[in-house]
Amino acid sequence: MESCQKIVSSPSFPVVLCIFLSASGHVGIVKAIGLYLEDIKSDLEISSMDIGMALGLLNAFFFIPSPIMAALYRRNSLRRPLAICGSCLQTIGVTLFSTATNSIQMAIYLSLTGIGISALMVSCIVALHRVAKEKYNLCFSIGSSGYGAGMVLFPLLAGFLRAPFGWRGGLLIISALIAHVIPCAVGIQIESTKMITEVNDVQTVQRLSTEGLDEEKGETSISHSFEENIRLGALHRITNRLRQTDFYKDPIFNVIFAVQFAFDMVYCGWHSFLVPHVVQRGVSVRNTIIITFSAASGNTFSRLGVGVLTNHLFKPIDVYIFAVILNIGALLVDVFVANFYVMLVTSCFSAMSIGARAVVTTLIVRDRASPGQFDVAFSVGRCISGVGMFLGGYIGGLVADRFSSFNATFTMLPIIDAVVLILILIMRCNPKKINRDVNTSKSI
């Protein structure tokens, strides 16, 4: 209880709340569109592949612009405007989607929504990294539990609005609810006064040191620096910078990006086609909502549980391995056993696995990356994840159209997850050498 009170009163709480609301809106959009899938297909005369591609673009633009968003975030004057603009775009995109008349407009509007979510989430997650510090795992888990809330609340609301308002009116009302994230984004203070003061102090010391050296060395130092810059050349300087990054010093670190790519194919494919998969098997809308509630419960529980488990008990990578194995088993049972009660359990287990890995992936990057390079590694990983999200939605819809069954899509997902398991085991067998060297030097 005391831990919860500390979190609520801490500077990180407004950021956590903003992450929670944005996350619930993100997954809520996907689930609502899944529930309206048949209505949208008949109204716009499009295929499952078109909708899968549009949902893939939503998730792709949620991830791909992350390096740009992280670069903009480094400018103090752009931090709050970036978060506010992101919250507005998230709402505007869904509003425009409700007016779409063809697949191209649908794809553009969902891409706009993805860009907005990307701007808001990158701003909040990087800010949380600096503000929460040692409580980051727990705070990030609480914020990301919004995905679980969105998985159950938005399909329930979409089903209630379907009869009186249709899919267009339902999405318009849902966009109004998502707009509640805008005042939250306006109210948070992303900049940390203490952090900025410390940075300014360091910069002042560096400037004074530089001036002192210039006074001692005079013109000889200036001319030497000028000649050295010319000799090295731009390409050589870039090469030296790359050699100082974790991507070069820790080659196994790059495997995590392959893991993210494959995992996000599973993530997008499962979230985008869970509801159509259940409905196609003849499950009623009421029971479909019950299944989404079961999945939402598993998603929320796993995201919160990850924050507790990785705080003191287990390493994030060990939790990830267990989650992959759990999802492969759940998906295989779901494919071969078409029963409502079985799907109720398997959807919960899959949601637990996917939700936990969505959190743990960031924690693995944070643990393995150097402290000063977290934002770079985080944004690069999200960019790669965006490509995986797009392919997951596109290929999932393509396979469903090809075999005229969403069960074929769910047969594809455990195969991809088997590749994820192999890659994450490679990382587990090759721990970070820098940490091992530091521990050795301390013991000596």
Side-chain angles (χ1 to χ4, degrees), residues 269-431:
W270 187 83
H271 275 293
S272 299
F273 299 108
L274 172 64
V275 173
H277 170 65
V278 173
V279 172
Q280 191 179 60
R281 284 184 164 180
V283 179
S284 65
V285 174
R286 174 179 172 273
N287 287 341
T288 299
I289 293 175
I290 293 175
I291 288 177
T292 60
F293 177 79
S294 174
S297 301
N299 190 292
T300 304
F301 173 77
S302 65
R303 288 175 183 269
L304 294 175
V306 162
V308 177
L309 293 176
T310 60
N311 208 25
H312 298 291
L313 300 176
F314 300 99
K315 294 181 179 179
I317 196 168
D318 294 330
V319 176
Y320 195 104
I321 293 171
F322 174 78
V324 177
I325 297 173
L326 177 66
N327 192 45
I328 292 174
L331 287 172
L332 290 175
V333 172
D334 180 86
V335 167
F336 293 107
V337 183
N339 179 274
F340 167 71
Y341 296 102
V342 173
M343 287 189 288
L344 198 65
V345 177
T346 56
S347 62
C348 180
F349 284 171
S350 289
M352 288 176 62
S353 169
I354 292 173
R357 284 188 283 167
V359 176
V360 171
T361 301
T362 302
L363 302 185
I364 293 174
V365 173
R366 189 171 185 262
D367 284 349
R368 188 126 187 170
S370 301
Q373 297 183 18
F374 169 73
D375 55 345
V376 176
F378 172 71
S379 59
V380 170
R382 287 175 65 86
C383 184
I384 294 173
S385 294
V387 180
M389 284 281 190
F390 172 74
L391 289 178
Y394 176 76
I395 296 176
L398 181 64
V399 170
D401 281 340
R402 182 67 180 272
F403 294 93
S404 299
S405 173
F406 290 106
N407 200 55
T409 302
F410 272 65
T411 304
M412 176 189 70
L413 297 181
I415 297 174
I416 301 175
D417 244 351
V419 177
V420 174
L421 180 60
I422 294 172
L423 293 173
I424 198 65
L425 287 174
I426 292 174
M427 284 199 68
R428 181 65 178 85
C429 296
N430 295 272

Side-chain angles (χ1 to χ4, degrees), residues 121-403:
M121 292 291 277
V122 169
S123 300
C124 291
I125 290 173
V126 177
L128 188 65
H129 168 67
R130 299 183 178 184
V131 174
K133 297 180 180 179
E134 69 277 1
K135 296 292 183 181
Y136 179 86
N137 289 14
L138 185 58
C139 290
F140 182 64
S141 297
I142 294 174
S144 64
S145 65
Y147 284 102
M151 284 181 66
V152 62
L153 295 179
F154 282 88
L156 184 64
L157 179 63
F160 177 75
L161 298 173
R162 183 179 185 180
F165 299 103
W167 73 269
R168 294 184 185 276
L171 287 177
L172 187 62
I173 295 173
I174 288 173
S175 69
L177 293 176
I178 294 173
H180 284 81
V181 75
I182 298 176
C184 293
V186 173
I188 64 174
Q189 297 292 331
I190 294 181
E191 295 179 7
S192 174
T193 305
K194 180 179 179 181
M195 179 186 66
I196 294 174
T197 303
E198 292 176 353
V199 171
N200 290 336
D201 291 340
V202 172
Q203 291 176 346
T204 302
V205 172
Q206 291 178 344
R207 179 174 56 81
L208 293 175
S209 300
T210 302
E211 291 175 355
L213 290 174
D214 287 341
E215 291 176 359
E216 292 179 3
K217 293 184 179 180
E219 296 180 357
T220 304
S221 176
I222 296 174
S223 60
H224 176 71
S225 177
F226 180 75
E227 292 174 358
E228 183 180 1
N229 286 336
I230 294 177
R231 187 178 70 254
L232 290 175
L235 182 61
H236 188 56
R237 290 198 299 271
I238 293 173
T239 303
N240 286 338
R241 285 187 177 183
L242 289 175
R243 288 178 178 175
Q244 298 302 316
T245 63
D246 292 324
F247 305 105
Y248 181 85
K249 294 188 294 185
D250 184 13
I252 299 298
F253 179 69
N254 298 292
V255 177
I256 188 61
F257 302 115
V259 171
Q260 285 184 268
F261 176 83
F263 161 66
D264 283 300
M265 288 186 66
V266 177
Y267 183 101
C268 186
W270 187 83
H271 275 293
S272 299
F273 299 108
L274 172 64
V275 173
H277 170 65
V278 173
V279 172
Q280 191 179 60
R281 284 184 164 180
V283 179
S284 65
V285 174
R286 174 179 172 273
N287 287 341
T288 299
I289 293 175
I290 293 175
I291 288 177
T292 60
F293 177 79
S294 174
S297 301
N299 190 292
T300 304
F301 173 77
S302 65
R303 288 175 183 269
L304 294 175
V306 162
V308 177
L309 293 176
T310 60
N311 208 25
H312 298 291
L313 300 176
F314 300 99
K315 294 181 179 179
I317 196 168
D318 294 330
V319 176
Y320 195 104
I321 293 171
F322 174 78
V324 177
I325 297 173
L326 177 66
N327 192 45
I328 292 174
L331 287 172
L332 290 175
V333 172
D334 180 86
V335 167
F336 293 107
V337 183
N339 179 274
F340 167 71
Y341 296 102
V342 173
M343 287 189 288
L344 198 65
V345 177
T346 56
S347 62
C348 180
F349 284 171
S350 289
M352 288 176 62
S353 169
I354 292 173
R357 284 188 283 167
V359 176
V360 171
T361 301
T362 302
L363 302 185
I364 293 174
V365 173
R366 189 171 185 262
D367 284 349
R368 188 126 187 170
S370 301
Q373 297 183 18
F374 169 73
D375 55 345
V376 176
F378 172 71
S379 59
V380 170
R382 287 175 65 86
C383 184
I384 294 173
S385 294
V387 180
M389 284 281 190
F390 172 74
L391 289 178
Y394 176 76
I395 296 176
L398 181 64
V399 170
D401 281 340
R402 182 67 180 272
F403 294 93

